Amino acid sequence: MPVLILSARGTTSERVSGIANGADDYLPKPFSPAELVVRVKALLRRSERREADPKGAMTLADLVIDRERQEVRRGTERLALTQSEMSLLVALVRARGRIVTRAVLLDQLYGKAEADVLDRTVDVYVRRLRDKLGDDPDEPRYVATVRGAGYRAMIDP
């Protein structure tokens, strides 16, 4: 989902900080309604282009994630992931390095209707995913824990 920051703070450093922290665009006040509409349409267009190939291959470091075949490869080695582990990995890679909360990951796994699932269920799935990827949580190559917030994929800047 694209993120547009609307703010009364419009200095260059604040705009740079907003975009560096995950926003796709930053629009300081005062702004015209026409400019807001144009920027939102542009963000949606770019978002649609990114999602145009929902089954295409994705990469994370030395991993190739093939959503069409539901498989992950490291070189010639095929890593056997469950559907849930695959869904988590894809959600993290799609976030492009931004933090993904446990609640969002739970929605990815079970849908918004499931209210009885504990947040810590995600921790179990992430641990299993890390085990299969050979990832060390203390020195992550693929999935990093952000204490009190969630998880993020280790995307190179």
Side-chain angles (χ1 to χ4, degrees), residues 102-117:
R102 285 182 180 91
V104 169
L105 292 172
L106 277 174
D107 288 347
Q108 182 73 27
L109 290 171
Y110 297 107
K112 295 183 187 292
E114 188 61 51
D116 295 335
V117 180

Side-chain angles (χ1 to χ4, degrees), residues 40-98:
V40 168
K41 285 181 178 179
L43 283 172
L44 291 174
R45 245 189 343 265
R46 287 194 299 265
S47 176
E48 288 170 4
R49 273 188 290 224
R50 277 197 309 257
E51 295 299 319
D53 184 16
K55 295 285 187 184
M58 306 167 81
T59 59
L60 177 62
D62 59 344
L63 300 176
V64 176
I65 304 156
D66 188 338
R67 292 177 284 172
E68 188 170 292
R69 293 186 176 150
Q70 288 292 301
E71 66 182 24
V72 176
R73 292 190 175 277
R74 183 185 303 117
T76 58
E77 176 189 13
R78 184 179 178 272
L79 306 175
L81 301 184
T82 66
Q83 182 63 42
S84 297
E85 293 160 349
M86 183 72 155
S87 293
L88 284 177
L89 185 59
V90 168
L92 290 166
V93 172
R94 276 188 174 164
R96 297 174 297 158
R98 291 190 298 260

Side-chain angles (χ1 to χ4, degrees), residues 17-38:
S17 175
I19 291 174
N21 285 310
D24 295 297
D25 201 353
Y26 192 108
L27 186 58
K29 290 181 183 178
F31 55 84
S32 73
E35 182 180 10
L36 175 62
V37 168
V38 168

